[in-house]
Structures are given as structure tokens and as C-alpha cells.
Amino acid sequence: MKKLICFDMDNTLINSDKGHFHSYMESIEKFGFKRISYWRFLKLMGMPKEQVVREIIGYGKKENLYKKINDLQAKLIEIKYVHMTKALRGTKRVLKKLKKDYKLAVTSNCSHRTILNLLKSAGINYRLFEVIVGNDDVRISKPAPSEIRKASKILHTRASYVVGDSIYDIMAAKRAKVKVISVLTGHYSREDLKRRRPDYIVSSLRQLPRLLKKIENES
Ligand SMILES: [Mg+2]
């Protein structure tokens, strides 16, 4: 049976930093809060979305407010900023190659619909993936293991690898007891990632086929 690989989306398969930034800023401004700098924002990428908003507008506000800001952000990125999304170099080629030997899944903290829209805008065929799990498909998102577990459950296949750029991907994979391969295409340095003890670190997705071959040959 083919093994299952769960991919994070943002900064693993695609770059959508600008779209996320502009949609978050527009949303928080609509609710009367001040923008933050792009550089400060980038450090928040990969966190659960409710936490991103808390970091921007402050903790201790009404629960409903965080949700409203997130809902508007999700709408804005799809309607207004989706075109700012690009596939990372080599992603399409690598996915097609891996598809021959593995089952592929997307497990992301974006909503299911945002994932489909961003992949489409990046020119990545969503049919390459056997399953797509977004934050609205589970009760708690990464760093909880729910998205990974849900993909495994739907496909009746235990995930063999998680691939992602952030420390939250590592935390989620560890909780799901799945091997984790970190990529350096996000905003986390090798040192940041190393501290969380991923099983492997590669510079980008393009090194993944060779690494997987090596791991499989050794086992
Ligand atoms: Mg990511």
C-alpha cells in the first residue's frame, strides 16, 4: 500500500505571505485596530489563525471578535488577494513525481475553501491530493494533531510523513507520532526548527524525493 505524506500548504507548497498579510490588515482595520509591519506579521505565519489575530490586536478581547476578524480575512484573501499566491519553485514537478509512489494530503490551518482557492491560483491541481483537510474540517488546528489524524482516518492509512515549514508542523507531527520533515522555505531558521527536533530538515521541497528515497532504502 502507498504511504501517506501530509503537506502543510503555506510556505511549504506555495507562497501566499502577501495575500495573508493584506487580508489580515484590511480585516483588523475594518474592526478598528492598527496595522502591524509586514516583518512582524511574517513571524506569525504558521500559528493557529485565532492566535495570529490575538498576537495582532492583543489578548483578552471578546472571543467572537477574533472569529469575526478571521472570517473576514478568509473572505478577503479569496476575493481580493488570491492572485498574490505563487507556487514555490519545483512544487508542481515534485508533487507529480511523488504522486506515483505516495498518497498525498494537504493538512493546513487555512479553511478548506481557502486551500482550494489558493492552490488553484498557484496553478497546483488539487486533484494531486487524495484528501485536503483545513482548519474548519477539525475542531482544533495545528499544533494539535487533528488535521493529520483526520487525513489518516479518511484514507485509512496512517500518515508516514509530515512536511512543513513551521514549528507548529513539527509539534503537530510529534503529537500525531508521525515523522516530520522540515523545509526551510518559510520564516523559521534552521536553528529555530532544530530546537523542536524534526526528524529531517531539507532546504526545500525539491530535495524531498531524494531524501525519501534515502530513508526508504535505509529502512
Ligand atoms: Mg506553513
Side-chain angles (χ1 to χ4, degrees), residues 1-217:
M1 194 163 68
K2 283 182 178 179
K3 288 184 173 175
L4 169 62
I5 309 175
C6 293
F7 290 92
D8 165 56
M9 180 177 69
D10 288 311
N11 292 322
T12 298
L13 304 175
I14 63 172
N15 181 334
S16 53
D17 288 348
K18 287 207 170 116
H20 281 292
F21 175 69
H22 289 294
S23 53
Y24 267 110
M25 292 309 116
E26 189 170 330
S27 181
I28 64 151
E29 273 190 329
K30 280 249 159 67
F31 286 90
F33 296 95
K34 275 211 186 97
R35 291 176 163 257
I36 60 167
S37 76
Y38 186 49
W39 305 111
R40 218 191 117 202
F41 177 77
L42 291 183
K43 288 279 162 212
L44 309 178
M45 292 282 297
M47 277 181 187
K49 293 190 76 180
E50 312 80 60
Q51 202 182 331
V52 173
V53 180
R54 281 185 174 80
E55 290 285 334
I56 299 173
I57 70 166
Y59 287 71
K61 312 267 193 273
K62 276 190 186 145
E63 220 35 54
N64 199 23
L65 177 64
Y66 299 118
K67 190 182 176 305
K68 278 185 185 162
I69 292 175
N70 266 324
D71 289 348
L72 178 59
Q73 182 272 335
K75 255 184 220 150
L76 285 168
I77 196 167
E78 287 173 37
I79 299 165
K80 216 168 155 183
Y81 300 109
V82 74
H83 65 280
M84 292 181 166
T85 309
K86 300 262 182 301
L88 292 177
R89 202 148 65 95
T91 297
K92 291 178 226 176
R93 182 176 50 78
V94 167
L95 290 175
K96 273 184 205 150
K97 192 180 165 116
L98 293 175
K99 171 97 180 143
K100 293 177 195 154
D101 302 314
Y102 295 91
K103 290 182 187 175
L104 311 180
V106 175
T107 45
S108 162
N109 279 358
C110 283
S111 76
H112 197 105
R113 216 181 60 187
T114 303
I115 297 171
L116 293 177
N117 281 321
L118 294 186
L119 288 176
K120 190 176 164 204
S121 171
I124 298 171
N125 185 352
Y126 69 87
R127 290 199 176 84
L128 285 166
F129 302 99
E130 259 83 10
V131 67
I132 285 172
V133 183
N135 65 358
D136 51 347
D137 296 316
V138 293
R139 215 163 42 82
I140 331 168
S141 51
K142 282 184 276 187
S146 316
E147 288 142 349
I148 301 163
R149 283 194 185 141
K150 179 129 192 188
S152 304
K153 199 174 163 193
I154 292 170
L155 297 173
H156 305 288
T157 310
R158 226 187 92 72
S160 293
Y161 304 100
V162 164
V163 181
D165 68 291
S166 86
I167 56 170
Y168 304 98
D169 298 306
I170 303 174
M171 289 154 83
K174 297 232 174 232
R175 288 173 189 175
K177 299 192 168 58
V178 178
K179 278 201 179 106
V180 54
I181 301 168
S182 293
V183 288
L184 293 167
T185 40
H187 305 291
Y188 294 85
S189 68
R190 190 181 283 273
E191 291 313 308
D192 292 337
L193 295 167
K194 250 189 184 165
R195 245 173 261 137
R196 302 285 176 161
R197 302 185 178 279
D199 295 278
Y200 306 92
I201 302 179
V202 288
S203 56
S204 80
L205 218 61
R206 288 184 286 160
Q207 275 78 51
L208 192 59
R210 195 193 289 172
L211 172 67
L212 288 173
K213 211 170 238 177
K214 203 175 144 224
I215 299 171
E216 303 289 342
N217 284 342

